[in-house]
mmCIF file of all heavy atoms in Angstrom:
data_model
loop_
_atom_site.group_PDB
_atom_site.id
_atom_site.type_symbol
_atom_site.label_atom_id
_atom_site.label_comp_id
_atom_site.label_asym_id
_atom_site.label_seq_id
_atom_site.Cartn_x
_atom_site.Cartn_y
_atom_site.Cartn_z
ATOM 1 N N MET E 1 0.820 -1.208 0.000
ATOM 2 C CA MET E 1 0.000 0.000 0.000
ATOM 3 C C MET E 1 0.858 1.264 0.000
ATOM 4 O O MET E 1 0.520 2.262 -0.660
ATOM 5 C CB MET E 1 -0.941 -0.011 1.204
ATOM 6 C CG MET E 1 -1.981 -1.133 1.156
ATOM 7 S SD MET E 1 -2.881 -1.247 -0.431
ATOM 8 C CE MET E 1 -3.662 0.375 -0.483
ATOM 9 N N LEU E 2 1.974 1.246 0.735
ATOM 10 C CA LEU E 2 2.860 2.414 0.753
ATOM 11 C C LEU E 2 3.427 2.688 -0.633
ATOM 12 O O LEU E 2 3.369 3.826 -1.130
ATOM 13 C CB LEU E 2 3.988 2.193 1.753
ATOM 14 C CG LEU E 2 5.085 3.278 1.777
ATOM 15 C CD1 LEU E 2 4.496 4.619 2.166
ATOM 16 C CD2 LEU E 2 6.213 2.875 2.730
ATOM 17 N N LEU E 3 3.952 1.647 -1.267
ATOM 18 C CA LEU E 3 4.545 1.848 -2.582
ATOM 19 C C LEU E 3 3.494 2.160 -3.638
ATOM 20 O O LEU E 3 3.744 2.940 -4.557
ATOM 21 C CB LEU E 3 5.354 0.618 -2.990
ATOM 22 C CG LEU E 3 6.701 0.483 -2.282
ATOM 23 C CD1 LEU E 3 7.360 -0.844 -2.596
ATOM 24 C CD2 LEU E 3 7.633 1.627 -2.684
ATOM 25 N N PHE E 4 2.293 1.590 -3.491
ATOM 26 C CA PHE E 4 1.239 1.905 -4.453
ATOM 27 C C PHE E 4 0.831 3.372 -4.329
ATOM 28 O O PHE E 4 0.584 4.040 -5.339
ATOM 29 C CB PHE E 4 0.031 1.005 -4.237
ATOM 30 C CG PHE E 4 -1.084 1.270 -5.217
ATOM 31 C CD1 PHE E 4 -0.972 0.852 -6.533
ATOM 32 C CD2 PHE E 4 -2.227 1.958 -4.835
ATOM 33 C CE1 PHE E 4 -1.987 1.098 -7.446
ATOM 34 C CE2 PHE E 4 -3.237 2.210 -5.741
ATOM 35 C CZ PHE E 4 -3.118 1.778 -7.050
ATOM 36 N N THR E 5 0.766 3.872 -3.098
ATOM 37 C CA THR E 5 0.431 5.287 -2.898
ATOM 38 C C THR E 5 1.489 6.185 -3.541
ATOM 39 O O THR E 5 1.162 7.163 -4.235
ATOM 40 C CB THR E 5 0.325 5.603 -1.396
ATOM 41 O OG1 THR E 5 -0.697 4.784 -0.814
ATOM 42 C CG2 THR E 5 -0.027 7.070 -1.171
ATOM 43 N N MET E 6 2.759 5.835 -3.334
ATOM 44 C CA MET E 6 3.844 6.604 -3.947
ATOM 45 C C MET E 6 3.784 6.506 -5.467
ATOM 46 O O MET E 6 3.992 7.499 -6.177
ATOM 47 C CB MET E 6 5.193 6.097 -3.423
ATOM 48 C CG MET E 6 5.395 6.318 -1.932
ATOM 49 S SD MET E 6 6.865 5.481 -1.296
ATOM 50 C CE MET E 6 8.161 6.366 -2.174
ATOM 51 N N LEU E 7 3.480 5.302 -5.967
ATOM 52 C CA LEU E 7 3.374 5.108 -7.411
ATOM 53 C C LEU E 7 2.222 5.921 -7.978
ATOM 54 O O LEU E 7 2.342 6.533 -9.053
ATOM 55 C CB LEU E 7 3.168 3.622 -7.710
ATOM 56 C CG LEU E 7 2.796 3.264 -9.156
ATOM 57 C CD1 LEU E 7 3.863 3.736 -10.125
ATOM 58 C CD2 LEU E 7 2.572 1.755 -9.288
ATOM 59 N N MET E 8 1.110 5.969 -7.271
ATOM 60 C CA MET E 8 -0.054 6.715 -7.732
ATOM 61 C C MET E 8 0.285 8.202 -7.884
ATOM 62 O O MET E 8 -0.091 8.842 -8.872
ATOM 63 C CB MET E 8 -1.204 6.519 -6.738
ATOM 64 C CG MET E 8 -2.542 7.011 -7.214
ATOM 65 S SD MET E 8 -3.913 6.297 -6.224
ATOM 66 C CE MET E 8 -3.274 6.483 -4.546
ATOM 67 N N ILE E 9 1.008 8.737 -6.922
ATOM 68 C CA ILE E 9 1.416 10.140 -6.988
ATOM 69 C C ILE E 9 2.375 10.365 -8.154
ATOM 70 O O ILE E 9 2.227 11.309 -8.938
ATOM 71 C CB ILE E 9 2.061 10.569 -5.657
ATOM 72 C CG1 ILE E 9 1.025 10.517 -4.528
ATOM 73 C CG2 ILE E 9 2.670 11.959 -5.776
ATOM 74 C CD1 ILE E 9 1.626 10.681 -3.148
ATOM 75 N N ALA E 10 3.359 9.473 -8.277
ATOM 76 C CA ALA E 10 4.342 9.600 -9.354
ATOM 77 C C ALA E 10 3.676 9.472 -10.724
ATOM 78 O O ALA E 10 4.012 10.203 -11.664
ATOM 79 C CB ALA E 10 5.427 8.537 -9.193
ATOM 80 N N HIS E 11 2.711 8.557 -10.823
ATOM 81 C CA HIS E 11 2.013 8.373 -12.100
ATOM 82 C C HIS E 11 1.197 9.607 -12.456
ATOM 83 O O HIS E 11 1.173 10.025 -13.616
ATOM 84 C CB HIS E 11 1.098 7.153 -12.012
ATOM 85 C CG HIS E 11 0.332 6.897 -13.277
ATOM 86 N ND1 HIS E 11 0.914 6.367 -14.409
ATOM 87 C CD2 HIS E 11 -0.977 7.117 -13.590
ATOM 88 C CE1 HIS E 11 0.005 6.261 -15.356
ATOM 89 N NE2 HIS E 11 -1.146 6.710 -14.897
ATOM 90 N N ALA E 12 0.543 10.210 -11.468
ATOM 91 C CA ALA E 12 -0.240 11.414 -11.720
ATOM 92 C C ALA E 12 0.653 12.554 -12.204
ATOM 93 O O ALA E 12 0.313 13.272 -13.155
ATOM 94 C CB ALA E 12 -0.976 11.827 -10.446
ATOM 95 N N ILE E 13 1.813 12.703 -11.583
ATOM 96 C CA ILE E 13 2.747 13.759 -11.994
ATOM 97 C C ILE E 13 3.251 13.489 -13.413
ATOM 98 O O ILE E 13 3.310 14.403 -14.248
ATOM 99 C CB ILE E 13 3.928 13.842 -11.003
ATOM 100 C CG1 ILE E 13 3.431 14.331 -9.644
ATOM 101 C CG2 ILE E 13 5.022 14.772 -11.538
ATOM 102 C CD1 ILE E 13 4.473 14.267 -8.545
ATOM 103 N N SER E 14 3.611 12.215 -13.683
ATOM 104 C CA SER E 14 4.104 11.868 -15.017
ATOM 105 C C SER E 14 3.046 12.115 -16.078
ATOM 106 O O SER E 14 3.346 12.601 -17.171
ATOM 107 C CB SER E 14 4.535 10.399 -15.048
ATOM 108 O OG SER E 14 5.627 10.168 -14.191
ATOM 109 N N THR E 15 1.799 11.802 -15.753
ATOM 110 C CA THR E 15 0.709 12.004 -16.706
ATOM 111 C C THR E 15 0.516 13.485 -17.008
ATOM 112 O O THR E 15 0.343 13.895 -18.162
ATOM 113 C CB THR E 15 -0.598 11.403 -16.162
ATOM 114 O OG1 THR E 15 -0.409 9.998 -15.930
ATOM 115 C CG2 THR E 15 -1.738 11.601 -17.147
ATOM 116 N N LEU E 16 0.579 14.310 -15.964
ATOM 117 C CA LEU E 16 0.436 15.754 -16.155
ATOM 118 C C LEU E 16 1.565 16.324 -16.999
ATOM 119 O O LEU E 16 1.379 17.287 -17.748
ATOM 120 C CB LEU E 16 0.400 16.454 -14.792
ATOM 121 C CG LEU E 16 -0.876 16.242 -13.962
ATOM 122 C CD1 LEU E 16 -0.707 16.857 -12.574
ATOM 123 C CD2 LEU E 16 -2.083 16.850 -14.673
ATOM 124 N N MET E 17 2.735 15.697 -16.905
ATOM 125 C CA MET E 17 3.901 16.154 -17.664
ATOM 126 C C MET E 17 3.980 15.500 -19.039
ATOM 127 O O MET E 17 4.901 15.769 -19.812
ATOM 128 C CB MET E 17 5.184 15.868 -16.888
ATOM 129 C CG MET E 17 5.285 16.611 -15.563
ATOM 130 S SD MET E 17 6.752 16.134 -14.608
ATOM 131 C CE MET E 17 8.066 16.699 -15.697
ATOM 132 N N GLY E 18 3.017 14.618 -19.331
ATOM 133 C CA GLY E 18 3.007 13.942 -20.628
ATOM 134 C C GLY E 18 4.058 12.855 -20.738
ATOM 135 O O GLY E 18 4.498 12.520 -21.841
ATOM 136 N N LYS E 19 4.455 12.286 -19.608
ATOM 137 C CA LYS E 19 5.483 11.240 -19.608
ATOM 138 C C LYS E 19 4.933 9.976 -18.946
ATOM 139 O O LYS E 19 3.840 9.957 -18.414
ATOM 140 C CB LYS E 19 6.730 11.715 -18.853
ATOM 141 C CG LYS E 19 7.382 12.960 -19.439
ATOM 142 C CD LYS E 19 8.586 13.373 -18.594
ATOM 143 C CE LYS E 19 9.246 14.619 -19.162
ATOM 144 N NZ LYS E 19 10.426 15.052 -18.348
ATOM 145 N N GLY E 20 5.732 8.933 -18.992
ATOM 146 C CA GLY E 20 5.403 7.727 -18.236
ATOM 147 C C GLY E 20 4.596 6.686 -18.966
ATOM 148 O O GLY E 20 4.259 5.652 -18.399
ATOM 149 N N ALA E 21 4.279 6.914 -20.256
ATOM 150 C CA ALA E 21 3.452 5.955 -20.976
ATOM 151 C C ALA E 21 4.143 4.604 -21.144
ATOM 152 O O ALA E 21 3.480 3.573 -21.267
ATOM 153 C CB ALA E 21 3.076 6.517 -22.353
ATOM 154 N N ASP E 22 5.487 4.600 -21.164
ATOM 155 C CA ASP E 22 6.201 3.333 -21.357
ATOM 156 C C ASP E 22 6.348 2.541 -20.061
ATOM 157 O O ASP E 22 6.810 1.403 -20.073
ATOM 158 C CB ASP E 22 7.572 3.564 -21.995
ATOM 159 C CG ASP E 22 8.496 4.446 -21.146
ATOM 160 O OD1 ASP E 22 8.162 4.722 -19.971
ATOM 161 O OD2 ASP E 22 9.552 4.862 -21.662
ATOM 162 N N GLY E 23 5.980 3.139 -18.927
ATOM 163 C CA GLY E 23 5.980 2.419 -17.666
ATOM 164 C C GLY E 23 7.333 2.268 -16.995
ATOM 165 O O GLY E 23 7.450 1.538 -16.008
ATOM 166 N N ARG E 24 8.352 2.935 -17.482
ATOM 167 C CA ARG E 24 9.688 2.752 -16.894
ATOM 168 C C ARG E 24 9.717 3.162 -15.420
ATOM 169 O O ARG E 24 10.298 2.467 -14.588
ATOM 170 C CB ARG E 24 10.748 3.519 -17.685
ATOM 171 C CG ARG E 24 11.225 2.788 -18.943
ATOM 172 C CD ARG E 24 12.296 3.566 -19.701
ATOM 173 N NE ARG E 24 12.953 2.743 -20.700
ATOM 174 C CZ ARG E 24 12.502 2.543 -21.928
ATOM 175 N NH1 ARG E 24 11.359 3.110 -22.297
ATOM 176 N NH2 ARG E 24 13.161 1.764 -22.769
ATOM 177 N N ALA E 25 9.115 4.300 -15.099
ATOM 178 C CA ALA E 25 9.108 4.743 -13.704
ATOM 179 C C ALA E 25 8.304 3.803 -12.826
ATOM 180 O O ALA E 25 8.723 3.437 -11.723
ATOM 181 C CB ALA E 25 8.556 6.166 -13.611
ATOM 182 N N ALA E 26 7.136 3.370 -13.314
ATOM 183 C CA ALA E 26 6.299 2.459 -12.529
ATOM 184 C C ALA E 26 7.003 1.131 -12.296
ATOM 185 O O ALA E 26 6.902 0.536 -11.223
ATOM 186 C CB ALA E 26 4.966 2.237 -13.249
ATOM 187 N N HIS E 27 7.731 0.664 -13.305
ATOM 188 C CA HIS E 27 8.465 -0.606 -13.154
ATOM 189 C C HIS E 27 9.528 -0.497 -12.055
ATOM 190 O O HIS E 27 9.787 -1.479 -11.346
ATOM 191 C CB HIS E 27 9.126 -0.989 -14.478
ATOM 192 C CG HIS E 27 9.957 -2.239 -14.389
ATOM 193 N ND1 HIS E 27 9.414 -3.492 -14.414
ATOM 194 C CD2 HIS E 27 11.305 -2.406 -14.253
ATOM 195 C CE1 HIS E 27 10.388 -4.395 -14.307
ATOM 196 N NE2 HIS E 27 11.536 -3.761 -14.210
ATOM 197 N N LYS E 28 10.121 0.676 -11.903
ATOM 198 C CA LYS E 28 11.107 0.851 -10.835
ATOM 199 C C LYS E 28 10.455 0.688 -9.462
ATOM 200 O O LYS E 28 11.046 0.111 -8.546
ATOM 201 C CB LYS E 28 11.772 2.222 -10.961
ATOM 202 C CG LYS E 28 12.706 2.332 -12.165
ATOM 203 C CD LYS E 28 13.342 3.710 -12.259
ATOM 204 C CE LYS E 28 14.281 3.807 -13.461
ATOM 205 N NZ LYS E 28 14.889 5.161 -13.590
ATOM 206 N N PHE E 29 9.236 1.197 -9.315
ATOM 207 C CA PHE E 29 8.509 1.001 -8.050
ATOM 208 C C PHE E 29 8.236 -0.488 -7.837
ATOM 209 O O PHE E 29 8.351 -0.993 -6.721
ATOM 210 C CB PHE E 29 7.191 1.779 -8.071
ATOM 211 C CG PHE E 29 7.332 3.233 -7.711
ATOM 212 C CD1 PHE E 29 7.489 4.189 -8.697
ATOM 213 C CD2 PHE E 29 7.296 3.639 -6.385
ATOM 214 C CE1 PHE E 29 7.616 5.539 -8.366
ATOM 215 C CE2 PHE E 29 7.421 4.979 -6.041
ATOM 216 C CZ PHE E 29 7.582 5.936 -7.035
ATOM 217 N N ALA E 30 7.867 -1.181 -8.908
ATOM 218 C CA ALA E 30 7.609 -2.617 -8.796
ATOM 219 C C ALA E 30 8.875 -3.357 -8.371
ATOM 220 O O ALA E 30 8.820 -4.294 -7.559
ATOM 221 C CB ALA E 30 7.103 -3.165 -10.127
ATOM 222 N N SER E 31 10.008 -2.937 -8.891
ATOM 223 C CA SER E 31 11.273 -3.570 -8.526
ATOM 224 C C SER E 31 11.600 -3.351 -7.054
ATOM 225 O O SER E 31 12.065 -4.273 -6.361
ATOM 226 C CB SER E 31 12.408 -3.030 -9.398
ATOM 227 O OG SER E 31 12.220 -3.390 -10.757
ATOM 228 N N ILE E 32 11.343 -2.153 -6.584
ATOM 229 C CA ILE E 32 11.561 -1.872 -5.156
ATOM 230 C C ILE E 32 10.638 -2.745 -4.310
ATOM 231 O O ILE E 32 11.045 -3.304 -3.285
ATOM 232 C CB ILE E 32 11.320 -0.377 -4.867
ATOM 233 C CG1 ILE E 32 12.387 0.475 -5.566
ATOM 234 C CG2 ILE E 32 11.336 -0.109 -3.357
ATOM 235 C CD1 ILE E 32 12.088 1.967 -5.539
ATOM 236 N N TRP E 33 9.395 -2.876 -4.744
ATOM 237 C CA TRP E 33 8.417 -3.710 -4.024
ATOM 238 C C TRP E 33 8.903 -5.151 -3.903
ATOM 239 O O TRP E 33 8.897 -5.740 -2.824
ATOM 240 C CB TRP E 33 7.084 -3.640 -4.761
ATOM 241 C CG TRP E 33 6.022 -4.580 -4.273
ATOM 242 C CD1 TRP E 33 5.325 -4.509 -3.104
ATOM 243 C CD2 TRP E 33 5.525 -5.739 -4.958
ATOM 244 N NE1 TRP E 33 4.417 -5.545 -3.020
ATOM 245 C CE2 TRP E 33 4.519 -6.320 -4.138
ATOM 246 C CE3 TRP E 33 5.825 -6.328 -6.195
ATOM 247 C CZ2 TRP E 33 3.827 -7.464 -4.521
ATOM 248 C CZ3 TRP E 33 5.132 -7.464 -6.578
ATOM 249 C CH2 TRP E 33 4.140 -8.023 -5.730
ATOM 250 N N GLY E 34 9.333 -5.716 -5.024
ATOM 251 C CA GLY E 34 9.786 -7.099 -5.014
ATOM 252 C C GLY E 34 10.976 -7.322 -4.110
ATOM 253 O O GLY E 34 11.030 -8.293 -3.340
ATOM 254 N N ARG E 35 11.929 -6.413 -4.156
ATOM 255 C CA ARG E 35 13.127 -6.571 -3.330
ATOM 256 C C ARG E 35 12.810 -6.375 -1.853
ATOM 257 O O ARG E 35 13.333 -7.100 -0.991
ATOM 258 C CB ARG E 35 14.215 -5.607 -3.801
ATOM 259 C CG ARG E 35 14.746 -5.940 -5.195
ATOM 260 C CD ARG E 35 16.044 -5.233 -5.493
ATOM 261 N NE ARG E 35 15.902 -3.800 -5.592
ATOM 262 C CZ ARG E 35 15.675 -3.140 -6.729
ATOM 263 N NH1 ARG E 35 15.543 -3.814 -7.860
ATOM 264 N NH2 ARG E 35 15.572 -1.836 -6.756
ATOM 265 N N LEU E 36 11.941 -5.399 -1.548
ATOM 266 C CA LEU E 36 11.583 -5.186 -0.143
ATOM 267 C C LEU E 36 10.861 -6.398 0.446
ATOM 268 O O LEU E 36 11.066 -6.743 1.610
ATOM 269 C CB LEU E 36 10.703 -3.944 -0.010
ATOM 270 C CG LEU E 36 11.410 -2.595 0.007
ATOM 271 C CD1 LEU E 36 10.397 -1.461 0.053
ATOM 272 C CD2 LEU E 36 12.379 -2.483 1.177
ATOM 273 N N MET E 37 10.018 -7.032 -0.356
ATOM 274 C CA MET E 37 9.298 -8.203 0.136
ATOM 275 C C MET E 37 10.260 -9.284 0.618
ATOM 276 O O MET E 37 9.996 -9.998 1.586
ATOM 277 C CB MET E 37 8.393 -8.758 -0.957
ATOM 278 C CG MET E 37 7.196 -7.871 -1.282
ATOM 279 S SD MET E 37 6.037 -7.705 0.095
ATOM 280 C CE MET E 37 5.447 -9.374 0.238
#
């Protein structure tokens, strides 16, 4: 939930800036999630 909340904020900012469609930033959050688990 913590990382999803951070991802949601980052995704909203990326969308407003017209970036993030390729998912590179979101994938980094997923990588952090997997390693933290």
Side-chain angles (χ1 to χ4, degrees):
M1 295 310 299
L2 174 62
L3 285 172
F4 181 74
T5 300
M6 295 171 65
L7 170 59
M8 191 163 45
I9 295 170
H11 179 75
I13 293 172
S14 296
T15 301
L16 289 174
M17 297 175 64
K19 300 178 180 180
D22 61 11
R24 279 181 167 85
H27 177 80
K28 290 180 180 179
F29 277 94
S31 295
I32 293 170
W33 172 71
R35 293 195 293 268
L36 279 176
M37 290 295 295

